[in-house]
Amino acid sequence: IDETGTLKVSAIEERALVDCVRYGWIQNVEGVKAAVADIITAFEERVNIAPSKVKGVYVALGGRSMMSHKREIERVFDTEIEITSEVIKQLDGDIRLEELEDKEIVDAVPVKYAVNNLTQQKPIGIYGNHIKASYNIIACRPQIKKNIDRVIEERLQLDTNGYIVRQKALAQLVLSDDDAKLGCVLVDLGAETTTVSIHKSGALQYMVTLPMGSRNITRDLSTLGITEEVAERLKCQYGNANSQETIGQGGQSSIIEGVDDSVFHNIVQHRAGEIAFNIATQITQAGFKSTDLASGGIVIVGQGAKLQGFCQL
């Protein structure tokens, strides 16, 4: 981070994993450990990075069970007091002690406050004898963090400097202030999961992880007698989520020998349509209408969003 507070990315490394991670959960600890170790080595060999030894990491959390849960907490004081940052920190700490069945709380996002029953977005500095806070608690299955710890701390002997909810980090990177204030849906379309969050009034209002992604389309195409690797390549090259057009064919032979192109396109469009429908449904599931999202509408990130026609769909 430079003197102006701007984040500069020094290096990016990526390794492909096949079946080591499913629905955002580490399944094969040794396989993921080997990939991360390879990335660490690559970083340490870059001469433009200092220090040259990686000792700790920050981990982005996501996965099939990651979702938000609405909770409220309130405090009544004997006399009128000033609401300070310490009062807010106490509320944050107390709400994280909530127990959720089969889930571990990884973050608590304040949505709104009320001091003496008057709604306040910024309560610090206001006087009152009663405060109520509404939160979105973000939680996931404990197994997600447990297997990450096995990779990072047990196998690689690295420090985990912090866990960051992936969807929150993405929101900070790609949403404008107007998006977050006036309302938008942020969609992270991955291979096996799609995370949908709704932001309004400057706060995360809703988040859910859907157990479907772009790999569903690839697997459907592999039923046409081709390997998943070939299906992925053909999907990226010719797939179109929103049109019957044969993308990139230019009068060439069939996409898959012996299979009518319309079958290929129908598979892509029907599965893409299912994913898009489930994304759009989350708006009403969260208690909003499309008219409530006045600014950004839907903002899409993730490799799955590169499918031709998906953003228009």
Side-chain angles (χ1 to χ4, degrees):
I1 301 176
D2 65 20
E3 63 277 0
T4 68
T6 302
L7 178 69
K8 178 184 177 182
V9 179
S10 299
I12 294 174
E13 292 286 345
E14 184 177 6
R15 297 296 182 273
L17 289 172
V18 179
D19 293 332
C20 288
V21 178
R22 296 299 310 277
Y23 299 108
W25 293 25
I26 294 175
Q27 303 291 310
N28 187 323
V29 171
E30 185 59 31
V32 174
K33 174 253 180 183
V36 176
D38 193 32
I39 286 174
I40 296 294
T41 299
F43 280 145
E44 291 176 345
E45 290 176 348
R46 288 177 181 246
V47 295
N48 64 322
I49 297 181
S52 60
K53 187 71 175 174
V54 175
K55 297 180 180 179
V57 299
Y58 290 88
V59 182
L61 280 176
R64 183 173 184 168
S65 64
M66 185 78 71
M67 64 183 300
S68 64
H69 307 260
K70 290 187 180 297
R71 293 290 187 276
E72 290 187 343
I73 187 171
E74 57 185 318
R75 293 288 180 268
V76 178
F77 308 103
D78 293 334
T79 59
E80 188 176 69
I81 67 164
E82 180 184 0
I83 305 302
T84 64
S85 59
E86 291 304 314
V87 173
I88 301 302
K89 285 180 182 178
Q90 185 67 48
L91 292 174
D92 287 350
D94 290 346
I95 200 72
R96 291 170 188 264
L97 298 177
E98 288 259 347
E99 293 188 3
L100 298 173
E101 186 177 357
D102 299 327
K103 295 283 185 71
E104 179 179 353
I105 295 174
V106 295
D107 205 349
V109 182
V111 177
K112 63 179 179 180
Y113 299 92
V115 179
N116 289 356
N117 296 319
L118 294 176
T119 299
Q120 307 285 346
Q121 288 299 126
K122 297 179 179 179
I124 295 176
I126 296 175
Y127 281 78
N129 59 7
H130 174 264
I131 183 171
K132 180 166 72 173
S134 300
Y135 283 84
N136 265 319
I137 292 175
I138 302 176
C140 64
R141 293 282 178 88
Q143 193 68 32
I144 290 182
K145 284 181 66 177
K146 187 180 294 183
N147 279 357
I148 291 173
D149 290 340
R150 285 168 175 162
V151 170
I152 301 299
E153 297 181 355
E154 294 180 17
R155 302 292 179 97
L156 296 174
Q157 299 292 299
L158 294 169
D159 294 329
T160 302
N161 293 341
Y163 288 101
I164 302 164
V165 175
R166 177 180 172 86
Q167 197 74 357
K168 279 188 62 182
L170 288 172
Q172 291 181 3
L173 286 168
V174 304
L175 298 186
S176 68
D177 288 342
D178 285 348
D179 289 337
K181 289 177 182 177
L182 301 178
C184 74
V185 180
L186 174 61
V187 177
D188 180 13
L189 179 53
E192 294 186 321
T193 60
T194 299
T195 305
V196 181
S197 57
I198 295 179
H199 304 257
K200 191 173 175 65
S201 302
L204 173 73
Q205 303 286 339
Y206 176 84
M207 189 182 108
V208 69
T209 303
L210 307 174
M212 58 179 64
S214 62
R215 195 177 179 189
N216 291 73
I217 302 172
T218 305
R219 286 177 175 152
D220 287 350
L221 291 173
S222 68
T223 63
L224 299 178
I226 55 178
T227 65
E228 197 169 310
E229 290 75 17
V230 172
E232 177 68 18
R233 177 175 58 80
L234 294 177
K235 178 191 72 177
C236 295
Q237 189 172 359
Y238 302 117
N240 188 340
N242 199 32
S243 171
Q244 289 289 346
E245 294 177 6
T246 306
I247 303 301
Q249 276 294 88
Q252 299 297 315
S253 58
S254 298
I255 297 171
I256 301 173
E257 188 175 352
V259 177
D260 192 286
D261 286 353
S262 64
V263 176
F264 177 93
H265 290 298
N266 281 336
I267 287 176
V268 173
Q269 288 160 34
H270 280 87
R271 183 63 80 176
E274 180 191 28
I275 296 170
F277 174 81
N278 277 274
I279 290 170
T281 299
Q282 299 313 310
I283 297 173
T284 53
Q285 289 276 59
F288 290 95
K289 302 186 295 293
S290 59
T291 52
D292 295 326
L293 310 175
S295 178
I298 297 180
V299 179
I300 307 182
V301 299
Q303 290 278 30
K306 291 183 178 180
L307 176 66
Q308 179 76 20
F310 188 83
C311 291
Q312 289 82 359
L313 179 65

